[in-house]
Amino acid sequence: MAEVIIVPRSAEGGNLVASEIARRIRATPDLVLGLATGSTPLPVYEALRPALAEVDVSGVRGFALDEYVGLDPAHPQSYRSVIAREVVEPLGLDPARIRVPDGRLDGIAHAGEVYEAAIMDAGGIALQILGIGTDGHIGFNEPGSSFASRTRVKTLTEQTRADNARFFASPDEVPMHCITQGLGTILEAGQLVLLAFGRSKAAALAAAVEGPVSASVPGSAIQLHPHVTVVVDEDAAAELTRADYYRYAYANKPTWQGL
Ligand code: GLP
């Protein structure tokens, strides 16, 4: 099962994950990271700045989870722009080594295959950072997504479009389609680190971690992965039925074990 770590605040979660990523980059300078967008991973990226200050990051490679389809790549809310602004530039990563699915309409029919091939050429993703949507989606794999799915175009649910409207001038501006790593793609990463903060994520998080494994809750796919770390604050942990056990297990975590 996933290791669930309940932290007092998102900042502590960010520090924890950032120090593990820094440790991994020191050991493997060309580490392949899976990068998530949205507000959830921001504490990780903020904590990575000091954590990587003395670390050579010139070889680090990265693959974003997803992208909007049909949004100008230069739009400030395209995930290409978000990853550049929030991850690549502040951490001093090499932009040539960081990829985002190509959501431009020209070539979209093959963009998924191209992305899958690039991940394979890189030797796969070593550590995949994940957030979770209020409807249980990971990446942009909306409820009903196949656990075998690969990078492909999906139609966003109305709920996801409404959730993401805060990033756009008006709800109508939120694209209808996206291109996202599939659940099958995500499950092939070496390690999954799923973060969730805030009460609005509690139901989706509990369903993903403790509910039945079901395509209706795409996040529940993590239960099929052998190495998953879930980092949540108290609010996001509110609906977990085994919270006491997770706290007990973490308090007694063997010192030799990394995240
Ligand atoms: C977005 C992204 C996901 C993200 C999720 C939650 O739409 N495509 O990768 O994990 O929804 O977003 P947030 O972290 O802002 O709550």
Side-chain angles (χ1 to χ4, degrees):
M1 64 172 238
E3 175 176 34
V4 181
I5 303 174
I6 302 170
V7 292
R9 283 166 302 272
S10 58
E12 280 89 346
N15 287 337
L16 198 69
V17 176
S19 59
E20 174 64 8
I21 292 174
R23 186 185 72 78
R24 297 280 300 272
I25 294 173
R26 272 190 231 101
T28 310
D30 62 348
L31 191 74
V32 183
L33 286 171
L35 301 166
T37 47
S39 26
T40 305
L42 293 180
V44 175
Y45 301 141
E46 275 157 32
L48 271 172
R49 261 182 107 140
L52 293 176
E54 308 290 317
V55 180
D56 177 9
V57 295
S58 60
V60 172
R61 294 169 291 169
F63 288 90
L65 269 175
D66 45 17
E67 175 60 291
Y68 292 111
V69 167
L71 194 63
D72 183 344
H75 188 288
Q77 292 307 327
S78 77
Y79 285 172
R80 175 170 302 280
S81 299
V82 171
I83 291 283
R85 190 169 62 235
E86 287 166 0
V87 187
V88 176
E89 288 159 16
L91 300 183
L93 304 184
D94 176 358
R97 290 172 181 263
I98 309 298
R99 292 194 59 152
V100 178
D102 190 347
R104 288 173 298 185
L105 291 174
D106 185 20
I108 192 67
H110 300 290
E113 289 159 46
V114 169
Y115 204 63
E116 289 284 331
I119 293 173
M120 196 170 284
D121 283 353
I125 292 167
L127 186 151
Q128 175 66 60
I129 300 167
L130 295 168
I132 186 164
T134 56
D135 64 359
H137 73 242
I138 55 175
F140 266 139
N141 293 282
E142 297 286 27
S145 293
S146 163
F147 281 14
S149 52
R150 314 301 307 188
T151 305
R152 72 223 182 282
V153 171
K154 288 287 289 180
T155 305
L156 296 173
T157 62
E158 283 302 312
Q159 184 176 339
T160 299
R161 293 186 70 227
D163 284 350
N164 288 5
R166 67 189 191 281
F167 296 113
F168 292 84
S170 85
D172 295 344
E173 249 194 63
V174 185
M176 188 69 70
H177 298 105
C178 63
I179 175 166
T180 180
Q181 283 187 36
L183 295 173
T185 319
I186 292 169
L187 286 174
E188 282 175 10
Q191 178 181 6
L192 305 180
V193 177
L194 176 80
L195 301 129
F197 303 121
R199 192 66 181 81
S200 65
K201 298 295 176 70
L205 192 271
V209 174
E210 296 182 340
V213 173
S214 163
S216 296
V217 181
S220 68
I222 66 168
Q223 295 181 42
L224 299 173
H225 193 284
H227 190 180
V228 183
T229 309
V230 176
V231 179
V232 289
D233 64 5
E234 296 285 349
D235 285 342
E239 297 190 25
L240 292 171
T241 60
R242 287 192 290 271
D244 288 346
Y245 174 69
Y246 306 138
R247 290 184 217 277
Y248 170 81
Y250 189 59
N252 292 291
K253 187 176 168 73
T255 46
W256 50 264
Q257 224 176 36
L259 261 199

